[in-house]
Amino acid sequence: LSRLEAADNEVAELGADIAALPALKSLDVANNQLRELPSALADCPRLKEANFRGNQLRDKRLEKMVNGCQTKAILEYLRAGGRGKGKAESAREEVRKKKREKQQKKDDGEQDEVEEVTKLLVKVLHVAENPAPLVVKVSPGIKDVRPFIVCCVLKGVNLVPGNALKRFLSVQTKLHEDICERRTAATIATHDLQLVKAPLIYDVEPPDELKITPLGRKEIKAKDLLRQLHLEAEEQRKQKKRQNVSGLHRYLQLLDGKDNYPCLVDAEGAVISFPPITNSEKTKIRKDTRDLLLEVTSDTSLQICKDVMDTLILKIAELNRFTLENREGSGSETEADAPCGPGSSEPCPLVVEQVRVVDMDGNLKVLYPSKTDLATVSSLLTVIR
C-alpha cells in the first residue's frame, strides 16, 4: 500500500500499526477528528506527502506545523516525541540550555581577567521598598493564547549620546533573532515608563476589536494591520524577486489560527503591546527616555521569559557602560546626561524594580526579578539585592 486517502471521514485515531506500511508514500487524513498523531508515522521510511489539516490536535505547536510546514519537518517533530508528550519540549529546552551554556563559557572566557569590581552593577529594588510598585494583571482568557509574561522596570538608562538609541534597538533585534528564536520562543517589548499609564492588564481581544497604534503607523485594528502587512510582504517578494521576507512580515504566521490576540492594555484602555508583532507608538522609546518598562512574553514557558529578560538586562547594562566609557557626542547635553555625573568613571548601577504579575483576584503568578533570577548572567553582572 503506497497511497492512503481517508480525508473527510470521522477518523478519531491513527494507531501505531501504521508503521507496518513500509511502502506508504502518500497519506491524506485531512478534516477528521484526530487529536494526536502517532510518533510511529516517523517510522514509515517512504512517506513523503502527508495532509493532516482540519484536525483539532491537542499539540498546538504541531497543529501550526501541520498548517504550514513540509511533511519532513512534521515527521522529525513526531520522531522527537512531540511537545504534547514532553520529549520535544525537553529537547528544545536542552538545545536552549546548551546554547546558553556555550554563550556563558564564551562570556566567561572573555571575562577571565576582569576583576569583580569592574563587573556591571545592577541594583534590585524590591516591591516592599517601592512606594508605587507596578503591577500587571492577567485575564483568564490569555491562558489559551500566549500565557506567559514577565515584566520589570529598569531605571537609569542613558540613550542621549551619539548612537546609543540605535544600539539599544539593535540589541533587541539581535535578541529576537538569537535567544528568542525569531520570536517563536519569546518576544521582547520595551516602553518609556513615563508614558505608561498603570495599572496594566495582559488581556486578549478579537482581531476585529483590538486597536493599536503600531510603531511608525496610525491607529488600526489588528486584523487590518495583519492584512496590510501580508500585502506588504507580497509586494516585497515581487520587488525583490525572492521568497523570504524581512521585518514584521516574518512573524505573521505566529498568529495563524488564533481567534483572539494577546495584548497589554494600559489604564486608559490603550493597547501598548501586541505580541509577537509590535508595541505602540504611545510608549515608544526616545533619546530622552531614562526609565523603561521591559516586557517579555511567550507561548512556550515562563522560564524562557526569565532567561530572555536576564539577557536583555545584561545587554542594556553593557550598552550603558559602553556609552559612559566612550563619551559619544559632545557638548553640555552629553555631559549632563552621563549616568553618574560628569567625568565619573565609577560604576553606577542600573536600578531594576520588581514587577508583580497577578491574576484578576490579585493572586501572585510571577515576581521578577526574584532571588533566583539573573543567575544566568551572574558572571558578568554584580546584583545588589
Side-chain angles (χ1 to χ4, degrees):
L1 182 66
S2 63
R3 186 178 185 87
L4 178 58
E5 296 185 0
D8 301 299
N9 286 287
E10 296 183 359
V11 179
E13 182 180 0
L14 278 180
D17 291 344
I18 196 163
L21 299 175
L24 186 64
K25 294 182 180 179
S26 175
L27 174 65
D28 187 354
V29 287
N31 304 318
N32 280 292
Q33 298 177 6
L34 297 174
R35 300 289 287 162
E36 294 182 354
L37 298 180
S39 58
L41 280 168
D43 297 326
C44 296
R46 298 189 180 182
L47 185 58
K48 302 297 181 184
E49 297 179 6
N51 184 1
F52 305 112
R53 295 184 179 87
N55 292 286
Q56 298 297 315
L57 301 176
R58 289 193 181 93
D59 187 335
K60 297 305 177 186
R61 185 173 295 278
L62 179 58
E63 190 171 48
K64 289 181 183 178
M65 294 179 69
V66 161
N67 292 326
C69 294
Q70 295 181 349
T71 301
K72 182 180 178 181
I74 296 169
L75 295 180
E76 288 177 353
Y77 182 79
L78 292 172
R79 184 176 290 110
R83 179 177 152 201
K85 294 180 174 61
K87 294 181 182 177
E89 182 60 18
S90 62
R92 284 170 61 82
E93 288 291 350
E94 188 64 26
V95 169
R96 292 190 186 99
K97 182 179 178 181
K98 288 181 179 178
K99 183 185 289 187
R100 290 195 298 269
E101 288 175 349
K102 183 178 179 181
Q103 184 63 41
Q104 192 78 25
K105 289 179 181 178
K106 180 182 177 183
D107 292 339
D108 289 346
E110 293 172 350
Q111 294 294 319
D112 280 343
E113 299 178 1
V114 178
E115 297 292 335
E116 182 73 18
V117 292
T118 65
K119 287 167 66 173
L120 296 160
L121 294 176
V122 170
K123 177 178 173 56
V124 175
L125 181 65
H126 295 265
V127 168
E129 303 167 350
N130 192 341
L134 187 66
V135 176
V136 177
K137 291 186 176 182
V138 176
S139 75
I142 203 70
K143 179 181 177 182
D144 299 320
V145 179
R146 193 177 182 86
F148 306 107
I149 182 170
V150 166
C151 296
C152 70
V153 167
L154 188 63
K155 292 190 172 181
V157 176
N158 184 20
L159 301 175
V160 172
N163 293 319
L165 178 58
K166 185 176 180 180
R167 289 194 180 93
F168 173 81
L169 299 175
S170 177
V171 161
Q172 293 179 67
T173 300
K174 290 177 181 177
L175 289 178
H176 273 143
E177 290 293 313
D178 184 18
I179 191 172
C180 294
E181 299 178 21
R182 295 190 176 183
R183 303 197 191 189
T184 59
T187 303
I188 297 166
T190 55
H191 310 270
D192 187 327
L193 183 67
Q194 301 304 315
L195 304 175
V196 173
K197 306 299 180 184
L200 302 175
I201 298 179
Y202 186 43
D203 205 354
V204 292
E205 292 187 19
D208 57 349
E209 294 181 17
L210 193 161
K211 290 183 179 180
I212 186 171
T213 305
L215 293 170
R217 298 172 185 254
K218 296 181 179 179
E219 185 180 65
I220 189 172
K221 290 182 178 179
K223 69 171 186 178
D224 295 329
L225 174 62
L226 264 64
R227 186 186 301 116
Q228 192 177 96
L229 290 172
H230 275 296
L231 292 174
E232 290 175 5
E234 288 302 316
E235 185 63 27
Q236 190 180 90
R237 285 194 188 97
K238 292 177 182 177
Q239 288 181 354
K240 297 187 177 181
K241 296 181 180 179
R242 63 185 187 187
Q243 290 300 312
N244 296 329
V245 293
S246 60
L248 294 179
H249 311 105
R250 293 180 295 172
Y251 311 121
L252 300 180
Q253 77 279 2
L254 299 178
L255 291 172
D256 287 350
K258 294 189 183 296
D259 296 326
N260 292 297
Y261 291 163
C263 55
L264 190 62
V265 185
D266 72 4
E268 298 176 340
V271 173
I272 64 170
S273 178
F274 171 27
I277 303 301
T278 183
N279 41 312
S280 173
E281 186 75 19
K282 180 178 181 180
T283 56
K284 180 179 178 180
I285 305 294
R286 294 174 172 81
K287 267 186 171 289
D288 59 355
T289 298
R290 293 300 301 271
D291 303 332
L292 308 174
L293 168 63
L294 307 181
E295 161 207 341
V296 179
T297 61
S298 173
D299 65 354
T300 305
S301 82
L302 181 62
Q303 189 57 49
I304 289 172
C305 290
K306 290 189 170 191
D307 290 345
V308 171
M309 187 68 85
D310 286 358
T311 307
L312 177 61
I313 290 172
L314 169 64
K315 294 301 181 183
I316 295 175
E318 289 176 341
L319 175 63
N320 234 36
R321 182 169 68 179
F322 179 87
T323 300
L324 175 63
E325 291 177 349
N326 287 271
R327 287 280 186 256
E328 293 181 301
S330 60
S332 59
E333 181 186 31
T334 302
E335 291 297 317
D337 282 290
C340 297
S344 173
S345 60
E346 294 298 318
C348 179
L350 291 169
V351 177
V352 184
E353 294 185 2
Q354 291 180 318
V355 170
R356 298 170 69 242
V357 175
V358 302
D359 63 21
M360 298 306 286
D361 296 322
N363 300 309
L364 182 65
K365 294 176 70 69
V366 60
L367 173 71
Y368 184 92
S370 67
K371 290 181 180 179
T372 58
D373 295 323
L374 293 170
T376 58
V377 292
S378 59
S379 66
L380 299 171
L381 276 182
T382 296
V383 182
I384 306 170
R385 299 184 187 271

